[in-house]
Amino acid sequence: MTTHSFTQAVPVLTYQRIVEQVETAILSGEIPVGSQLSSERDLMVQFGVSRPTVREALRVLQSMGLIEPKPGTRGGPVVLAPSSETLGRSFRAMIGTASLGLAELVQFRIVLDGSASELAAVLHDDAQLAAMRSAVTRMREAAEGDASDFADADLAFHETVWEASGNQVLRLSGQAVAGALRELVRRDLERGAAGNAVKLDSARIDSGLFEAIERRDSAAAGRIARGAIADRFSSMLTERERLALAAITGA
Amino acid sequence: MTTHSFTQAVPVLTYQRIVEQVETAILSGEIPVGSQLSSERDLMVQFGVSRPTVREALRVLQSMGLIEPKPGTRGGPVVLAPSSETLGRSFRAMIGTASLGLAELVQFRIVLDGSASELAAVLHDDAQLAAMRSAVTRMREAAEGDASDFADADLAFHETVWEASGNQVLRLSGQAVAGALRELVRRDLERGAAGNAVKLDSARIDSGLFEAIERRDSAAAGRIARGAIADRFSSMLTERERLALAAITGA
DNA sequence: CCCCACAAGTGGCCTTACCATGTATCCTAG
DNA sequence: CTAGGATACATGGTAAGGCCACTTGTGGGG
């Protein structure tokens, strides 16, 4: 018996082949951004398939953020400039569908925020520094006032830190995980008296983080950012989970 | 003139509304992973639309990695467990269209691998340790042999580290970014004589990482993992990008 | 008891068709 | 000659109906 390695004989879906052809053509630059493909009716003769099949392929490409429909004469799908939107959606989908424990999200957030703060300390510019300063000020002002104002300022501060890190991936994944966490702890923040103390604490810590970034102290910025999140959520974790956190907070 | 804030009057595409409904139902956990939706023919009466419209919506959900078609009696779209595949595709798409720099991806990988290694050092169990040991051994054996064997062992090693970190988000994100990077450096690894040296280096480094994890030295594991990736890709980065890397490698 | 053939249901794909809308052209009024 | 608008055409969005290959479940025969 000759052992010959055969290749899989799975049927290749026709709409998928259209997606692949167009996708590689776009990613390789063969089809430049801003140009437009033939209309659905033209594509259906070019590929030799029916219109619904062409449309399914175009929908997939559209959901990948590669094209956008454009009606009218001289219309046709236009090739889009790549956007970070789909990447963020992928993160959200992954976090949303993965049945995640709070500890995993907290760990991930610590990792992201810590690194982003380290990078921001080295790479920030004046405008970003000003934005951070204003956000910290707003946090302090809102610490005893409306919870949503405070949350907005808090979010704006971290948003700027992510931006100052100069890394889109950090920013997008940070947004995704922060959003998921916010959902989980909403009740925790709103329950009465303890709220103000927590907010004052957060304001003080973020203030310290800001100063570390301002003096470009990368190590301190990372340490503060990591510790802040660990403290913020430690009361909601088990002993074992707190122990694991120690490994990445560097404390 | 009364300034009343009107809401956008853009027509909402029907297939898009189906996508949104199903998406939120899945992401909120209302439809559990592993279960299956009604068949296309049932969905088309539930939503009161035609089958092509249902199919377009299902294609989009499929391209997001949320569902998978399943033919046959008692069939219907099944809700998938989260995968790193779509996230990796988003990375590759953004790299391909040059809206994401290699440096950002490398930074992200350093952050993820470093933290995963720190966690793995603290949290690993015996089975995972054995798997890592075997992978490292296979790497050494394949260092002078087939490139794909080596890559497989290398991948298996890091896979186990991610798993040992006990954090699904880290694992999925790590897989995604590693997959995207692997695509980019494939040529780099295969080009002739330098290949073996690179592979021997990698094997030696991973071996050191393994030992650090084995003796539960979290700090060392993180340092080695970060340095390994920084070294591996430093030749593909600019001077300024290498400088930013220093902020997160802790070197 | 096991195995296999058959029936039913599913996704994949096609054909045809209609509608609302966006674009371009041309024709008219100034 | 120009500016404006009405008209015709092409585009995407959606619907209805139908065929095929394949997967699955089940019941009948060994």
Side-chain angles (χ1 to χ4, degrees):
Chain A
M1 163 183 155
T2 65
T3 69
H4 185 274
S5 111
F6 291 104
T7 167
Q8 288 250 359
V10 290
V12 180
L13 273 41
T14 59
Y15 91 93
Q16 187 62 33
R17 288 195 294 196
I18 298 179
V19 169
E20 284 167 10
Q21 285 193 51
V22 179
E23 184 184 4
T24 62
I26 292 179
L27 293 186
S28 72
E30 190 180 334
I31 302 179
V33 169
S35 67
Q36 56 184 16
L37 282 54
S38 308
S39 72
E40 295 179 358
R41 289 170 177 82
D42 281 351
L43 289 176
M44 97 184 204
V45 312
Q46 287 186 35
F47 288 108
V49 298
S50 71
R51 197 151 92 95
T53 302
V54 171
R55 285 179 59 81
E56 287 182 19
L58 293 180
R59 285 290 186 226
V60 172
L61 291 166
Q62 186 183 352
S63 84
M64 296 193 297
L66 290 178
I67 66 171
E68 183 189 52
K70 177 187 173 184
T73 312
R74 300 282 182 279
V78 302
V79 178
L80 291 180
S83 143
S84 60
E85 210 249 330
T86 60
L87 189 60
R89 239 188 23 182
S90 295
F91 267 113
R92 283 193 295 275
M94 195 186 76
I95 292 178
T97 52
S99 53
L100 298 170
L102 176 66
E104 293 178 77
L105 286 176
V106 172
Q107 279 180 355
F108 198 65
R109 172 100 197 255
I110 288 177
V111 168
L112 296 180
D113 262 69
S115 309
S117 301
E118 288 173 349
L119 283 168
V122 179
L123 300 176
H124 71 260
D125 61 28
D126 292 346
Q128 288 154 350
L129 206 63
M132 288 185 232
R133 181 180 289 116
S134 123
V136 170
T137 310
R138 278 194 293 138
M139 276 179 71
R140 249 192 296 250
E141 289 169 358
E144 296 172 4
D146 187 39
S148 92
D149 280 356
F150 179 82
D152 284 350
D154 188 26
L155 180 62
F157 175 70
H158 287 96
E159 196 81 49
T160 311
V161 172
W162 287 325
E163 187 195 329
S165 77
N167 192 314
Q168 285 188 74
V169 188
L170 275 177
R171 182 172 59 82
L172 291 168
S173 50
Q175 286 172 349
V177 66
L181 271 176
R182 196 161 32 243
E183 197 67 26
L184 290 179
V185 301
R186 176 165 302 166
R187 299 151 305 181
D188 198 59
L189 186 63
E190 286 173 347
R191 63 176 179 210
N196 276 348
V198 168
K199 283 187 286 185
L200 277 170
D201 250 24
S202 294
R204 192 173 42 75
I205 291 172
D206 282 5
S207 186
L209 174 55
F210 166 72
E211 286 164 17
I213 291 177
E214 188 178 26
R215 66 172 187 269
R216 300 194 181 271
D217 186 341
S218 172
R223 193 165 2 95
I224 295 174
R226 281 183 265 264
I229 300 170
D231 284 352
R232 171 76 185 79
F233 295 98
S234 70
S235 66
M236 305 170 67
L237 301 178
T238 69
E239 186 58 34
R240 178 181 154 72
E241 288 166 349
R242 267 194 291 271
L243 218 62
L245 243 53
I248 51 176
T249 51
Chain B
M1 161 183 157
T2 65
T3 68
H4 186 273
S5 113
F6 291 104
T7 169
Q8 287 252 356
V10 290
V12 180
L13 274 37
T14 62
Y15 91 93
Q16 187 62 34
R17 288 195 294 195
I18 299 179
V19 169
E20 284 166 10
Q21 285 193 50
V22 178
E23 184 184 4
T24 63
I26 292 179
L27 260 46
S28 73
E30 189 180 335
I31 302 179
V33 168
S35 67
Q36 56 185 13
L37 281 54
S38 308
S39 71
E40 296 178 358
R41 289 171 178 82
D42 282 351
L43 289 176
M44 95 184 207
V45 312
Q46 287 186 36
F47 288 108
V49 299
S50 70
R51 197 147 94 93
T53 303
V54 171
R55 285 179 60 79
E56 287 182 19
L58 292 179
R59 285 290 187 226
V60 172
L61 291 167
Q62 187 182 352
S63 83
M64 296 193 294
L66 290 179
I67 65 172
E68 183 188 52
K70 177 187 173 186
T73 313
R74 303 282 183 280
V78 301
V79 179
L80 291 180
S83 145
S84 66
E85 211 254 330
T86 58
L87 187 59
R89 248 195 4 191
S90 294
F91 281 138
R92 282 191 288 274
M94 291 191 69
I95 290 270
T97 50
S99 78
L100 191 67
L102 175 66
E104 293 179 75
L105 224 51
V106 171
Q107 278 182 356
F108 196 64
R109 171 103 197 251
I110 288 177
V111 169
L112 296 180
D113 260 69
S115 309
S117 301
E118 288 172 349
L119 282 168
V122 179
L123 300 175
H124 71 259
D125 61 28
D126 292 346
Q128 288 156 349
L129 205 64
M132 289 185 227
R133 181 182 288 116
S134 123
V136 171
T137 311
R138 278 195 292 137
M139 276 179 71
R140 250 193 294 250
E141 289 169 358
E144 296 174 2
D146 187 40
S148 92
D149 282 356
F150 179 83
D152 284 351
D154 188 28
L155 178 63
F157 176 70
H158 286 95
E159 196 81 48
T160 311
V161 172
W162 288 323
E163 188 195 328
S165 77
N167 193 314
Q168 284 189 75
V169 193
L170 273 177
R171 183 173 59 82
L172 291 169
S173 308
Q175 285 174 351
V177 64
L181 278 176
R182 191 163 35 245
E183 196 69 27
L184 295 178
V185 300
R186 177 164 300 165
R187 300 153 302 185
D188 200 57
L189 187 63
E190 285 173 350
R191 61 176 180 213
N196 276 348
V198 168
K199 283 187 285 186
L200 277 172
D201 251 23
S202 295
R204 193 172 42 74
I205 292 173
D206 283 5
S207 186
L209 174 56
F210 167 72
E211 285 164 18
I213 292 177
E214 187 179 25
R215 67 173 184 268
R216 301 193 179 271
D217 187 341
S218 173
R223 192 165 1 97
I224 295 174
R226 282 183 263 265
I229 299 170
D231 283 352
R232 174 75 186 81
F233 293 97
S234 70
S235 67
M236 305 171 69
L237 301 179
T238 69
E239 185 58 35
R240 177 182 155 72
E241 289 166 347
R242 267 194 292 271
L243 220 60
L245 244 53
I248 51 175
T249 52

